[in-house]
Amino acid sequence: TGHLTSDDPHLINAYAASGVDSCHESVTADQILAKLRAGVYAMIREGSAWKDLKTCIQPFVRSNLDTSGVMLVTDDVHADTLIQTGHINAVINLAIAEGISPVKAIQMATINTARYFRLDETIGCIAPGRLADMILFDTLEQIVPASVYVGGQLVYSAEQPVVDDQPVFGWPPELLNTIKLPHALSRELFQLPARISTGTIELPVIAVHENSAVTDRLTCALKVADGVVQVDLEQDLIMATCLERYTGAGGHA
C-alpha cells in the first residue's frame, strides 16, 4: 500500500508499475482521481490528525463516478476520538454528511475494502458463508450502533451496554516490550548543535498544516547559545527528535 501525495500521472504510473496497488495518502480530489485512473485503489482517510475526507470525497458526491475502487479508511485514530465520535461508522457519517448516499458510503467502507484485501469470501457483506460480524442501527442517515454482533454473538447492546464479560485477550510475547530506548535519555538527545557558539543562524524548518499530513519547507532565523540552537516559542518553533526504538542503542535524528 502506497504513501504518495501526488497527482502527477507519470509519477503515479511509475508507482503503480512498481507493484503498489493502493494508497491512503491522498489529500486532494485530483490525487484520488489520478490514482484511480492508474488502477490504484484510492483510500479516503479520516483520523484524529489527518482529516482529508471532506476534500477527497467531492468527485463522488451526486455523481455517477464508479466507486468500486474507493475505500473509506481511518489513519492514526486516537483513543479519545474512538470514544467520542466512533471509528469507521464516523467516517461513513462524514461521507453521508458531504452528500454521498448512505448505501454507497457503506459499500466504500465494507465490501470494497474486503474485496481489495481479498477477504470478501469471509467479511464485507451480510451473506451466506460469511462471518456474522455486523452492527444494527436505527437510521441510514446516521450510523450509530444499536447492537454489535461478532461471529453471530451479541457483544454490545445500547439497551444493555455490557452483554457478557468478554474474555481477556492474551497478547503474544513478541508483540510486547517492542519500544527499546536508552536507559537514560540525555538532554543532548534533544538538542541541535550549531556551527557557531553564539549569534543567529538560518535553518530549514518544517511548517505544519493543521489536520493535514502535508508540510512545507521554510527557512527561519534562530538564536544560538553555547553552541546549541534555541527553541523560539514566539515563532512557534520547537525541536523534534526521532529516536531509534528497535535496539536501544540511542540512535537519533
Side-chain angles (χ1 to χ4, degrees):
T1 184
H3 292 70
L4 180 65
T5 303
S6 173
D7 55 15
D8 181 342
H10 300 291
L11 183 57
I12 293 175
N13 288 345
Y15 212 60
S18 74
V20 175
D21 60 6
S22 72
C23 184
H24 67 271
E25 290 289 355
S26 298
V27 296
T28 68
D30 287 341
Q31 291 175 13
I32 290 286
L33 295 175
K35 288 165 187 174
L36 290 173
R37 293 188 189 103
V40 174
Y41 280 79
M43 297 176 175
I44 297 178
R45 68 171 172 193
E46 187 79 8
S48 299
W50 326 129
K51 300 184 181 297
D52 301 305
L53 183 141
K54 186 178 180 67
T55 297
C56 292
I57 202 75
Q58 293 309 313
F60 311 102
V61 175
R62 301 180 186 87
S63 76
N64 293 319
L65 285 178
D66 181 23
T67 58
S68 60
V70 181
M71 292 174 271
L72 299 183
V73 303
T74 60
D75 189 17
D76 294 330
V77 181
H78 303 161
D80 58 341
T81 302
L82 293 173
I83 294 171
Q84 294 168 9
T85 64
H87 190 225
I88 293 294
N89 64 308
V91 184
I92 294 173
N93 288 335
L94 285 173
I96 294 172
E98 288 300 313
I100 298 294
S101 73
V103 170
K104 184 175 288 187
I106 292 171
Q107 288 173 335
M108 293 161 77
T110 56
I111 188 63
N112 289 7
T113 310
R115 285 173 176 160
Y116 168 70
F117 286 105
R118 299 188 179 96
L119 295 172
D120 50 309
E121 292 184 356
T122 305
I123 60 174
C125 65
I126 301 173
R130 273 69 169 187
L131 295 177
D133 295 345
M134 54 193 177
I135 65 171
L136 303 183
F137 45 91
D138 296 323
T139 173
L140 279 171
E141 280 63 41
Q142 186 74 13
I143 311 302
V144 178
S147 302
V148 178
Y149 289 83
V150 175
Q153 300 298 313
L154 180 66
V155 297
Y156 169 84
S157 170
E159 298 178 355
Q160 184 183 353
V162 179
V163 178
D164 286 307
D165 290 334
Q166 298 300 310
V168 176
F169 180 77
W171 292 98
E174 61 269 20
L175 296 182
L176 302 176
N177 302 314
T178 60
I179 298 178
K180 298 179 175 60
L181 298 178
H183 294 298
L185 295 178
S186 65
R187 180 186 296 269
E188 287 71 28
L189 287 176
F190 302 92
Q191 291 181 337
L192 181 64
R195 297 185 300 272
I196 58 177
S197 59
T198 186
T200 302
I201 187 173
E202 290 207 347
L203 291 173
V205 299
I206 301 171
V208 176
H209 291 254
E210 190 72 21
N211 297 324
S212 175
V214 177
T215 59
D216 293 326
R217 185 183 189 275
L218 304 179
T219 301
C220 287
L222 293 170
K223 294 180 180 179
V224 177
D226 298 324
V228 175
V229 178
Q230 301 299 296
V231 169
D232 190 336
L233 297 182
E234 290 186 359
Q235 296 189 75
D236 197 22
L237 287 174
I238 60 174
M239 302 293 180
T241 297
C242 180
L243 293 171
E244 181 270 310
R245 66 174 179 86
Y246 300 101
T247 67
H252 66 285

